[in-house]
Amino acid sequence: MQKIVDPSRETWKELLARPEQKDDELQAVCSEIFAEVRKNGDEALKKYTWFFDRVQIENCCVSEEEFAEAERMVPESLKEAIRRAGENIRGFHIRQQEACSKGPVWEGVEGVRCWQEVRPIDRVGLYVPGGTAPLFSTVLMLGIPAQIAGCGQVVLCTPPGKNGRVEPAILWTARYCGIFQVYKAGGIQAIAAMTFGTETIPGVDKIFGPGNQFVTAAKQFATTCRVAIDLPAGPSEVLVMADGLARPEFVAADLLSQAEHGRDSQVVLLTWAPEIVPAVEAELERQLALLPRREVALAALENSRCILVKDRETALEIANEYAPEHLILCTEEYHSLIPEIRNAGSVFLGNYAPESAGDYASGTNHTLPTHAYAKAYSGVGVASFTKCISFQEISREGLMHLAPVIEIMAENEQLVAHRNAVRIRREAIGK
Amino acid sequence: MQKIVDPSRETWKELLARPEQKDDELQAVCSEIFAEVRKNGDEALKKYTWFFDRVQIENCCVSEEEFAEAERMVPESLKEAIRRAGENIRGFHIRQQEACSKGPVWEGVEGVRCWQEVRPIDRVGLYVPGGTAPLFSTVLMLGIPAQIAGCGQVVLCTPPGKNGRVEPAILWTARYCGIFQVYKAGGIQAIAAMTFGTETIPGVDKIFGPGNQFVTAAKQFATTCRVAIDLPAGPSEVLVMADGLARPEFVAADLLSQAEHGRDSQVVLLTWAPEIVPAVEAELERQLALLPRREVALAALENSRCILVKDRETALEIANEYAPEHLILCTEEYHSLIPEIRNAGSVFLGNYAPESAGDYASGTNHTLPTHAYAKAYSGVGVASFTKCISFQEISREGLMHLAPVIEIMAENEQLVAHRNAVRIRREAIGK
C-alpha cells in the first residue's frame, strides 16, 4: 500500500482517482459481436461460446434434468445457508417495495388529481459471472428484488464451465429465487443475446449484473441499443475509516476481503490515528500469507492507499470525495458520522460489521456503485426492477382552474397547438 | 397519418418501431469536442459557441444585471402563471420526497440492523434548450425537484440568443427555482463543460434536460466519462387511445400539440371505434390550417399512425408494447384501464386532461421516457436528484448469528478472505 500523510487538498483529485479503464477497443469488439448476434441469433452465440470459452453448446437452455442434478449436488448445509441469507435479503428488500408502491393522490387544485403508480419492468435479464468462483450470492441479490418487484419474465445468463454445465449452486439458487429460464451464455455474446433476443434467449428491457471488463463494455454498448442497465460497473472497492480504537486485525481482514476480488480491486485505509498504521500493516502481511488468492490480493494492495489525515473532519471530506462502493466505519463513535456521509454505496458501522456481512447475508444488496458512481447512483434494490408512471385525472372544473396558466405559458413558449388543446376544451365547457 | 386496420400480431414490432436515429457520426464529433473542452476549458467553449451559434461570448456566466433585467422584462401575467404552475409542481413533487426519505430500520436477525437513507446528489447540471422557443417550463420541471431534493450545487446551461443574451423568461424562472449559476452555453460543448468543468462552469455528477440530437448524443457520450444522465432522450411522442365517446376535436388538438414539437415527433391514434376516425381526420385538417407551426406539425403527422383494432384489450396490448411517453385515455370509462397500463411515461385520463396540462401546470413532471424507454425508466422526479445509501449496524451478537451463513457461502464461492473477515471477529468474540 502506498502511504500518504496529510495530503494537500489540490492533490485529492489525483489521489482518489481510480485507474482509468480504456475500453475504446472493446467497444469495437462489442459492435461486431452485437451485430452478429442480432443477425444470426443462436448460431452466433454458439460460435462465440466456442471461440471465447472453448465449449461446444448444442442447446444453451438449461434443462429440467440439469436443475434436478443441481438439487442433488448442492449440499444441504449450503442450501440452508442460502435460504437463511435469502430470508434476510427478502426481509430487507420487501420493505423497499412498501416504501415505493402507489403514491398518494394529490389534489392541489380542485378537480386536478395527480398520483404515481409503480409497475414492474416486464422483462429483465440477469448476468451472473462464471469463471473461477461460482457467484451464487449474486443470484440472490438480483433474483430476490426481481421477484419482489413482480417482473413478468426473468432470464438468467451465465457462462458454462469447461464441462458445458452451469455450477450447481447457481442453478439451485436461481430455482430458489423462482427463476426457471437459465441459459449457458457468457461475456459480450450473452449481453447481446439479452439485448436483441435469439431463437432461444428472450430479449429484455433491462440487464443487471456484474462482470469482467468485457461484460462491462457490453452493458455500456447495450445502452446504445435501447436497453437499460442497472449500473455502470467497475472494479470493486472498499474504504475503511478507522480511529485509534479500531482493531487492526479486523481492519486488515476487511481490506484483504476486498483485495482478493481481483487485481484491479482498490482498497483504502483512511485514518487520523497514526498509531494503528503499523499494526494494520503487520496484520496484512500475516493474514495475506495464509490466503489461497494471495497473489491477486497482493496485486490489488499494490494499487491501494493508506491515507493519514489530521482529523475526523478531513477524513469525512476525503471519504465523500472518494465515494466508495463499500465504506466501513471502524470507529468508536459512528452515529455522529452518519449524517455526514454523503456519497457511498453501502456503509458498515462499527467493529463487528465486516463487508462480507453485506456481501452475503445481512439483507442489504451487494450490487453497488463503484468508481465514485455513488455520487449519483444508488445500489440495486426493488426500485431498480420497477418504474413509476404518473397519472392525472382532470375534471371540467379542474381544467377551467388550470386553463389560464397553461394558455399563457404555452403562448410564451410559442407552442400554439399546446394552448389550443386547452382552449378548445375551455370553449366547449363554456358553451 | 398512415391508417392501419386490425394489424396482425407479427407486424406489431415493426408498426410500433420509432424511426432509427443514427448517431455514430455524432459520437465522433462529441469525442472531439469533449476532448477539446476538457483540455482548453472556457477557450474551447468560446470557440464552439462562435462556430455553432455564431455568437461571441466574453464571459459565459450570466451576471446579476442580466437577472435584474429579466426581472424587469418578464410581464407580471407570465410571472404569475409560472408561480401558479410552480406551486402545483412543488406540491406534487414534495410528496415524492416524503415517499422516499429515510427508510425504516429492519432487524430481521437480532443485532443486525439495516436501513437506507436518501441523500441529494451534490452537484447537478440542468440543460435548457434555446432556439426557436424559450422552454422556461423545463426550468420548473428540473429546478423544482432539484430544490426539493436539496442538491448542493445546481448549474444551468442554455444557449445564448443571437443577441448574446439568455431569454428573460428562462432567467426569471431559474431565479424562481433558486438557481443562481446560469451559463450561456449550448449544444455538445455545454454538456462537455458540465462533464469536466471549466474555469467558469463547474463540473457536475449528473446532467439533466432535453435537447436536440446533438445534445442527446453528447449526454450519451457523457455517460462514458463517468457522469450520470437523467434519461436517454428521443423525439417526443403521444398515443391517444379513444373510444366512440371521445370528442374528435379534442383528440385532434392533442395529436397536434404533440406534432408541433418537431418534425421527428410521433403521434399515434389507437381506437376500436372506426366511426371517430373520419371525424378526427377532418378536425386535424381544420385545426392544422390555423397553426403557426403547421409545417412542422404536418411533417410529424406524416410519420404518424392511426391504428384501428377490434377491441379494447388489443388496444391495451398495443399501447403497452408501444410504451408511449404520453398516453391519453379519451375513453368513457378509464378507471378499469388503469391497472392494465404497464408501460407509459405519464397518463392523462378522460376528455378534460390534455397533454398540455401535464406539460405545464397540473403538477406532474414533463421530463419523461420516450422511444419505448418507458418499459424500463421512470420520468424525472425528486428521486432522480437523490440516491440511496444502505447502512448496517451489527452487534457482536448479531455477527455471531450471521457468521455460519457467511462462512459457508464465502467458502463455496472460494473467497477465503471474505470468510476470514468474519471468522477473525467470531474468534475474538469467543475468547
Side-chain angles (χ1 to χ4, degrees):
Chain A
M1 285 177 103
Q2 203 189 333
K3 224 182 303 181
I4 298 111
V5 180
D6 201 12
S8 71
R9 203 166 283 261
E10 308 82 68
T11 64
W12 285 10
K13 197 172 168 184
E14 201 184 333
L15 177 65
L16 304 177
R18 275 70 163 183
E20 276 299 325
Q21 294 162 293
K22 280 189 209 144
D23 66 356
D24 286 359
E25 284 166 40
L26 278 183
Q27 290 298 308
V29 177
C30 287
S31 179
E32 194 185 319
I33 296 178
F34 269 63
E36 197 168 334
V37 170
R38 184 176 204 170
K39 194 171 156 219
N40 297 329
D42 285 341
E43 208 47 58
L45 209 57
K46 225 181 273 183
K47 169 182 147 183
Y48 285 112
T49 302
W50 172 246
F51 188 77
F52 289 118
D53 302 329
R54 289 287 143 186
V55 185
Q56 286 276 16
I57 297 288
E58 266 322 300
N59 181 356
C60 71
C61 182
V62 170
S63 68
E64 197 46 52
E65 281 156 43
E66 287 170 290
F67 277 113
E69 190 187 59
E71 181 68 46
R72 286 192 302 276
M73 283 179 70
V74 177
E76 184 52 35
S77 59
L78 179 56
K79 287 179 186 168
E80 185 52 27
I82 292 172
R83 279 190 211 105
R84 286 182 58 191
E87 279 160 32
N88 293 345
I89 296 164
R90 190 167 282 122
F92 181 67
H93 284 75
I94 277 180
R95 271 138 197 95
Q96 295 174 1
Q97 173 71 344
E98 288 171 354
C100 73
S101 64
K102 186 178 174 174
V105 174
W106 183 70
E107 192 168 350
V109 173
E110 212 183 323
V112 182
R113 294 158 51 85
C114 301
W115 71 93
Q116 290 191 302
E117 297 193 20
V118 175
R119 294 285 187 275
I121 298 175
D122 279 344
R123 310 175 308 160
V124 297
L126 316 183
Y127 185 84
V128 176
T132 51
L135 296 185
F136 53 84
S137 61
T138 295
V139 181
L140 290 176
M141 295 296 179
L142 301 176
I144 290 174
Q147 201 176 28
I148 294 171
C151 298
Q153 184 166 46
V154 183
V155 165
L156 190 154
C157 284
T158 188
K162 293 289 168 222
N163 60 358
R165 300 251 152 173
V166 172
E167 274 292 336
I170 289 179
L171 286 189
W172 190 88
T173 311
R175 239 343 136 75
Y176 169 79
C177 298
I179 301 168
F180 300 92
Q181 291 180 283
V182 178
Y183 301 96
K184 299 172 200 170
I188 299 172
Q189 62 272 23
I191 304 299
M194 292 193 279
T195 299
F196 302 119
T198 70
E199 301 90 321
T200 309
I201 303 181
V204 300
D205 303 316
K206 189 168 183 177
I207 298 174
F208 295 76
N212 58 20
Q213 57 177 331
F214 297 99
V215 172
T216 299
K219 282 171 65 189
Q220 170 74 30
F221 193 86
T223 65
T224 67
C225 307
R226 314 280 173 201
V227 167
I229 62 169
D230 52 352
L231 285 170
S236 196
E237 62 205 20
V238 69
L239 186 148
V240 179
M241 199 192 287
D243 67 8
L245 293 165
R247 302 267 302 246
E249 69 275 32
F250 297 175
V251 172
D254 290 340
L255 294 173
L256 288 173
S257 77
Q258 190 55 55
E260 78 171 340
H261 266 302
R263 292 167 185 280
D264 52 3
S265 290
Q266 208 180 38
V267 307
V268 179
L269 170 61
L270 178 62
T271 182
W272 53 95
E275 68 274 19
I276 69 159
V277 176
V280 172
E281 284 176 326
E283 274 292 326
L284 276 174
E285 204 169 323
R286 188 184 70 79
Q287 295 180 28
L288 184 64
L290 306 169
L291 286 184
R293 294 169 70 93
R294 62 184 161 271
E295 275 183 52
V296 169
L298 190 62
L301 285 178
E302 277 165 10
N303 290 326
S304 297
R305 275 144 209 182
C306 166
I307 304 174
L308 194 64
V309 293
K310 63 178 192 304
D311 54 26
R312 223 175 73 136
E313 286 58 48
T314 313
L316 274 166
E317 278 189 80
I318 287 184
N320 280 318
E321 186 55 37
Y322 186 70
E325 181 191 13
H326 304 97
L327 172 62
I328 304 181
L329 300 183
C330 275
T331 59
E332 180 68 354
E333 206 297 287
Y334 49 74
H335 281 110
S336 66
L337 297 177
I338 294 173
E340 309 296 322
I341 304 297
R342 296 199 319 278
N343 302 320
S346 197
V347 184
F348 300 80
L349 301 167
N351 275 322
Y352 295 92
E355 191 205 304
S356 334
D359 286 340
Y360 292 109
S362 65
T364 60
N365 209 289
H366 79 198
T367 313
L368 296 165
T370 56
H371 215 291
Y373 281 118
K375 290 179 177 180
Y377 287 87
S378 314
V380 165
V382 174
S384 314
F385 292 88
T386 66
K387 71 266 179 180
C388 251
I389 304 179
S390 38
F391 287 85
Q392 47 223 295
E393 184 181 21
I394 305 179
S395 69
R396 284 170 202 207
E397 184 201 18
L399 188 64
M400 291 304 262
H401 288 310
L402 292 183
V405 173
I406 301 170
E407 292 188 39
I408 291 174
M409 289 176 76
E411 267 169 30
N412 275 278
E413 287 194 352
Q414 296 164 36
L415 294 171
V416 173
H418 281 64
R419 183 203 63 191
N420 290 355
V422 170
R423 182 171 284 180
I424 200 168
R425 287 167 164 94
R426 184 165 58 75
E427 286 170 357
I429 297 168
K431 266 178 203 156
Chain B
M1 281 176 106
Q2 205 191 330
K3 226 183 299 181
I4 299 110
V5 180
D6 201 12
S8 70
R9 204 167 284 260
E10 308 80 69
T11 65
W12 286 11
K13 198 174 167 183
E14 202 184 331
L15 177 65
L16 304 176
R18 276 70 164 182
E20 275 297 325
Q21 293 162 294
K22 281 190 206 144
D23 66 355
D24 286 0
E25 284 167 39
L26 279 183
Q27 290 298 309
V29 177
C30 286
S31 179
E32 192 184 319
I33 297 179
F34 269 63
E36 196 167 334
V37 170
R38 184 177 204 170
K39 193 169 157 221
N40 298 329
D42 285 341
E43 209 49 56
L45 211 56
K46 225 180 273 184
K47 170 183 147 184
Y48 285 112
T49 302
W50 173 245
F51 189 77
F52 290 117
D53 303 328
R54 288 287 141 188
V55 185
Q56 285 276 15
I57 296 288
E58 266 321 300
N59 181 358
C60 71
C61 182
V62 170
S63 68
E64 198 45 53
E65 281 155 41
E66 288 170 289
F67 277 112
E69 191 187 59
E71 181 68 46
R72 287 192 303 275
M73 284 179 70
V74 177
E76 184 53 35
S77 58
L78 179 56
K79 286 180 188 170
E80 185 53 24
I82 293 172
R83 278 190 212 105
R84 284 182 57 192
E87 278 160 31
N88 293 346
I89 297 164
R90 190 167 282 122
F92 181 67
H93 284 76
I94 277 180
R95 272 141 196 93
Q96 294 175 1
Q97 174 70 345
E98 287 170 356
C100 73
S101 65
K102 185 178 174 173
V105 174
W106 183 70
E107 193 168 348
V109 173
E110 212 184 322
V112 182
R113 294 159 51 85
C114 301
W115 70 95
Q116 290 191 302
E117 297 193 20
V118 175
R119 294 284 188 277
I121 297 176
D122 279 344
R123 309 175 309 161
V124 299
L126 315 183
Y127 185 84
V128 177
T132 51
L135 296 184
F136 53 83
S137 61
T138 296
V139 182
L140 290 177
M141 295 295 178
L142 301 176
I144 290 175
Q147 201 175 29
I148 293 171
C151 298
Q153 184 166 47
V154 183
V155 165
L156 190 155
C157 284
T158 189
K162 292 288 170 221
N163 60 359
R165 299 253 155 171
V166 172
E167 275 291 338
I170 288 178
L171 285 189
W172 191 88
T173 311
R175 238 343 135 73
Y176 170 79
C177 298
I179 300 168
F180 301 91
Q181 291 181 281
V182 179
Y183 302 96
K184 299 172 199 170
I188 299 172
Q189 63 272 23
I191 304 299
M194 292 193 280
T195 299
F196 302 119
T198 70
E199 301 89 320
T200 309
I201 302 180
V204 301
D205 303 316
K206 189 168 182 177
I207 297 173
F208 295 76
N212 57 20
Q213 55 176 334
F214 298 99
V215 172
T216 299
K219 280 172 65 189
Q220 171 74 32
F221 193 86
T223 65
T224 66
C225 308
R226 314 280 173 200
V227 167
I229 63 170
D230 52 354
L231 285 169
S236 198
E237 62 203 21
V238 70
L239 185 147
V240 179
M241 200 194 288
D243 67 9
L245 293 164
R247 302 268 302 248
E249 69 276 32
F250 297 177
V251 172
D254 289 339
L255 294 173
L256 287 173
S257 77
Q258 188 57 53
E260 79 171 340
H261 266 303
R263 293 168 183 279
D264 51 3
S265 289
Q266 208 180 35
V267 308
V268 179
L269 170 61
L270 178 63
T271 183
W272 53 96
E275 67 275 18
I276 71 160
V277 175
V280 171
E281 283 175 327
E283 274 293 325
L284 275 174
E285 204 169 321
R286 188 186 69 79
Q287 294 180 30
L288 184 64
L290 305 169
L291 285 185
R293 294 168 71 91
R294 62 183 160 273
E295 278 184 49
V296 169
L298 191 60
L301 284 179
E302 279 166 9
N303 291 325
S304 295
R305 275 141 209 187
C306 166
I307 305 174
L308 195 63
V309 292
K310 62 177 194 304
D311 54 25
R312 222 176 72 136
E313 285 58 47
T314 313
L316 274 167
E317 277 189 82
I318 287 185
N320 281 318
E321 185 55 37
Y322 186 70
E325 182 190 12
H326 305 96
L327 172 62
I328 304 181
L329 300 184
C330 274
T331 60
E332 180 68 354
E333 206 297 289
Y334 49 75
H335 281 111
S336 66
L337 298 177
I338 295 173
E340 309 297 322
I341 305 297
R342 295 198 321 276
N343 301 320
S346 198
V347 184
F348 301 79
L349 300 167
N351 275 323
Y352 295 92
E355 189 204 304
S356 333
D359 285 341
Y360 292 110
S362 65
T364 60
N365 208 289
H366 78 198
T367 313
L368 296 165
T370 56
H371 215 289
Y373 281 119
K375 290 179 178 180
Y377 287 87
S378 314
V380 166
V382 175
S384 315
F385 292 89
T386 65
K387 73 264 179 181
C388 252
I389 304 178
S390 39
F391 287 85
Q392 47 224 297
E393 186 181 19
I394 305 178
S395 68
R396 286 172 198 200
E397 185 201 14
L399 189 64
M400 290 304 263
H401 288 310
L402 293 182
V405 173
I406 302 170
E407 292 187 40
I408 290 174
M409 291 176 74
E411 267 170 30
N412 275 278
E413 287 194 351
Q414 295 165 36
L415 294 171
V416 172
H418 282 63
R419 182 202 66 190
N420 290 355
V422 170
R423 182 171 283 182
I424 200 169
R425 286 166 165 95
R426 184 166 58 74
E427 287 171 354
I429 296 168
K431 266 174 203 159

